[in-house]
């Protein structure tokens, strides 16, 4: 696989040089300062390439070209936003980019109740506590209809948790859940979040699925023309939140998307952490069945604290947690072998060690939550070791 590293640009406290020292061969980045819905300027694309080259690496994957809420709801300037997305693909292709990641999660991107929860040995990790989340939804956000979304036992636990919750924890919970996309300075206050949730009134899961297909029907032909693979990131966590529909949480969700827009350019960002939070997702099996359309891989592990859906979970060390990382990597290597035999230009699948626990000097660096230097270096080293061992194993990979 092509070992890459997410970098948030010059503001990132983890540098491109750090990534190179960690063993990365390429960089995953985006122009987070460009407003969602706008065309990415040619000069800004070129500048980011040069910033990465100055650190000794190359810009391999864009993560992400954001999909606006207007596109997801098909309101306002959604048609012009699709045209701008298409033009950004053309410009990125002209600069040498061949892989573009995006997500179609409404309002909130990845959602956590804790951004720096204390895990084993004092490491810091991101965590989703279901009871804290329900306490936020019912008692802080006070979303209309929220109590009906949870069973009585969960509501009672959340009420007790909220009653005992100090003011500083309530404030932190609101900030953590309302945090914007990684790398951005955006975020929602409670009134803003209520306002954004209201824009999805009347949008069912089936309707949002159709809006995704409508979007892909417009942008995939452009991706084909310019030689870019576009790949959808799964919902994180992979279930409905705050009354919003989620449409990329299971294998069937992805199979539906791939059937409806049946192009090799339309594919999957396979995130083991996001999909692994849902117990019924068979990750090695999903890789095997979705393999020809997997264009980008995020490898991380989560520890589910219950086996139901939804559930509490935390982001574990890369080789711990509930995902069999060896089996997942074995399936990915099989797919790369098959692609090489077919002569596919994209036979080397880009992957990155996703997230990571803050350990050692990470605890003092203050990097973007989930993106520490040493925690990801450790993860990449472990994942690379699995890959190397499997490549020389009896399976002949």
């Amino acid at each position: 696989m092509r070992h890459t590293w997410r970098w948030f640009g010059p503001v990132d406290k983890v540098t491109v040089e750090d990534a190179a020292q960690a063993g990365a061969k390429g960089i995953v980045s985006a122009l987070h300062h460009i407003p969602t819905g706008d065309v990415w300027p040619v000069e800004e694309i070129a500048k980011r390439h040069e910033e990465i080259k100055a650190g000794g690496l190359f810009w391999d994957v864009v993560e992400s070209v954001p999909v606006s809420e207007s596109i997801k709801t098909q309101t306002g300037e959604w048609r012009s936003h699709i045209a701008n997305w298409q033009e950004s693909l053309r410009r990125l292709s002209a600069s040498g980019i061949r892989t573009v990641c995006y997500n179609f999660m409404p309002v909130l991107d990845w959602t956590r109740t804790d951004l720096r929860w204390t895990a084993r040995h004092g490491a810091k990790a991101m965590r989703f506590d279901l009871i804290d989340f329900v306490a936020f939804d019912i008692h802080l956000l006070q979303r209309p209809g929220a109590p009906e979304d949870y069973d009585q036992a969960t509501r009672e636990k959340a009420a007790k948790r909220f009653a005992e919750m100090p003011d500083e924890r309530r404030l932190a919970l609101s900030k953590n859940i309302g945090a914007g996309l990684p790398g951005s300075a955006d975020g929602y206050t409670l009134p803003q979040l209520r306002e954004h949730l209201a824009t999805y009134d009347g949008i069912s899961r089936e309707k949002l699925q159709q809006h995704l297909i409508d979007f892909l029907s417009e942008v995939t032909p452009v991706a084909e023309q310019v030689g870019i693979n576009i790949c959808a990131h799964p919902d994180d966590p992979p279930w409905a939140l705050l009354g919003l529909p989620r449409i990329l949480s299971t294998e069937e969700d992805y199979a539906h998307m791939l059937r409806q827009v049946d192009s090799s350019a339309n594919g999957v960002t396979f995130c083991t952490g996001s999909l692994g939070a849902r117990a019924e997702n068979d990750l090695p099996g999903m890789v095997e069945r979705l393999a020809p359309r997997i264009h980008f891989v995020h490898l991380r592990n989560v520890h589910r604290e219950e086996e139901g859906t939804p559930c509490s979970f935390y982001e574990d060390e890369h080789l711990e947690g509930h995902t069999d990382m060896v089996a997942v990597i074995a399936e990915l290597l099989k797919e790369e072998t098959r692609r090489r035999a077919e002569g596919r230009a994209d036979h080397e699948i880009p992957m990155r060690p996703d997230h990571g626990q803050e350990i050692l000097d990470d605890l003092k660096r203050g990097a973007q939550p989930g993106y520490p230097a040493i925690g990801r270096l450790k993860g990449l080293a472990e994942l690379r070791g699995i890959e190397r061992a499997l490549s020389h194993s009896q399976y002949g990979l």
Side-chain angles (χ1 to χ4, degrees):
M1 290 180 283
R2 175 78 172 171
H3 301 154
T4 65
W5 186 274
R6 192 166 190 181
W7 184 60
F8 294 102
V11 299
D12 199 328
K13 294 183 179 181
V14 183
T15 67
V16 175
E17 291 87 347
D18 292 337
Q21 291 174 16
K25 303 302 181 184
I27 288 292
V28 176
S29 193
L31 304 182
H32 299 289
H33 58 289
I34 304 300
T36 299
D38 285 6
V39 176
W40 283 16
V42 171
E43 60 273 18
E44 291 295 323
I45 294 172
K47 181 180 178 183
R48 181 52 50 88
H49 274 290
E50 291 305 314
E51 290 166 342
I52 293 169
K53 287 179 184 177
L57 297 178
F58 294 92
W59 192 4
D60 284 6
V61 179
V62 169
E63 184 181 355
S64 302
V65 178
V67 179
S68 70
E69 296 302 312
S70 293
I71 291 174
K72 294 170 191 172
T73 58
Q74 293 193 358
T75 58
E77 300 180 82
W78 71 280
R79 292 189 183 277
S80 66
H81 286 184
I82 287 180
N84 290 348
W85 217 89
Q86 293 170 321
E87 180 59 22
S88 292
L89 287 183
R90 296 185 187 99
R91 296 179 180 190
L92 287 166
S93 174
S95 79
I97 294 291
R98 292 291 172 262
T99 307
V100 171
C101 173
Y102 70 95
N103 79 69
F104 218 79
M105 288 180 265
V107 183
L108 298 175
D109 190 74
W110 56 260
T111 302
R112 300 290 186 271
T113 56
D114 297 89
L115 302 184
R116 287 187 165 92
W117 173 75
T118 301
R120 62 172 68 92
H121 308 312
K124 300 294 183 181
M126 293 201 290
R127 183 169 184 260
F128 180 89
D129 184 302
L130 178 61
I131 301 306
D132 272 5
F133 184 83
V134 176
F136 166 82
D137 192 10
I138 295 175
H139 301 286
L140 274 172
L141 184 63
Q142 298 180 349
R143 177 175 62 88
E148 287 70 43
D149 287 348
Y150 308 103
D151 60 45
Q152 182 176 348
T154 300
R155 293 196 303 268
E156 289 175 354
K157 289 178 184 177
K160 183 175 186 297
R161 178 78 57 83
F162 184 75
E164 297 171 350
M165 191 178 291
D167 289 344
E168 58 269 24
R169 174 55 183 164
R170 295 180 183 184
L171 179 60
L173 191 58
S174 295
K175 288 183 176 179
N176 293 345
I177 293 173
L181 285 164
S184 76
D186 298 332
Y188 298 121
T189 64
L190 291 180
Q192 288 171 335
L193 183 53
R194 294 186 192 103
E195 181 181 345
H196 281 275
L197 292 175
T199 65
Y200 280 82
D201 288 348
I203 296 183
S204 64
R205 185 175 186 276
E206 293 71 26
K207 191 169 186 178
L208 187 62
Q209 276 185 316
Q210 187 56 52
H211 289 181
L212 170 60
I213 300 308
D214 292 343
F215 166 72
L216 289 172
S217 297
E218 296 288 338
V219 302
T220 302
V222 175
E224 288 178 341
Q225 292 164 10
V226 301
I228 279 182
N229 287 330
I230 57 175
C231 39
H233 189 282
D235 303 323
D236 186 8
W239 50 72
L241 295 175
L242 304 179
L244 296 167
R246 298 284 229 182
I247 58 172
L248 289 174
S249 295
T250 66
E251 181 175 353
E252 178 50 37
D253 289 344
Y254 272 109
H256 174 79
M257 180 192 81
L258 299 177
R259 285 193 303 266
Q260 294 299 308
V261 183
D262 191 9
S263 164
S264 60
N266 172 38
V268 177
T269 297
F270 197 85
C271 178
T272 57
S274 299
L275 295 167
R278 192 177 182 111
E280 59 265 40
N281 282 338
D282 167 22
L283 269 59
M286 290 175 71
V287 174
E288 179 184 12
R289 292 181 287 274
L290 298 173
R293 304 281 280 276
I294 293 176
H295 297 324
F296 184 32
V297 179
H298 292 176
L299 295 179
R300 65 179 169 90
N301 223 320
V302 298
H303 179 97
R304 297 185 300 272
E305 297 175 35
E306 307 92 22
E307 287 301 291
T309 300
C311 68
S312 298
F313 64 88
Y314 63 86
E315 303 204 1
D316 212 334
E317 297 170 65
H318 285 79
L319 302 190
E320 302 301 326
H322 282 92
T323 294
D324 184 345
M325 201 63 75
V326 175
V328 167
I329 293 174
E331 291 298 334
L332 290 167
L333 294 178
K334 288 177 185 177
E335 173 60 14
E336 287 191 323
T337 299
R338 189 186 66 79
R339 292 185 187 187
R340 281 193 293 272
E342 289 183 355
R344 279 179 56 166
D346 62 346
H347 62 84
E348 189 178 40
I349 302 172
M351 78 77 150
R352 66 175 178 84
D354 196 14
H355 297 181
Q357 294 187 349
E358 294 181 1
I359 58 175
L360 305 175
D361 286 355
D362 288 332
L363 296 167
K364 297 179 285 187
R365 190 186 291 244
Q368 174 81 21
Y371 294 93
I374 302 171
R376 282 187 290 167
L377 179 154
K378 175 175 177 283
L380 179 57
E382 293 171 339
L383 298 168
R384 187 168 54 230
I386 291 173
E387 181 181 354
R388 186 69 60 86
L390 288 172
S391 296
H392 291 83
S393 72
Q394 60 180 318
Y395 302 108
L397 295 172

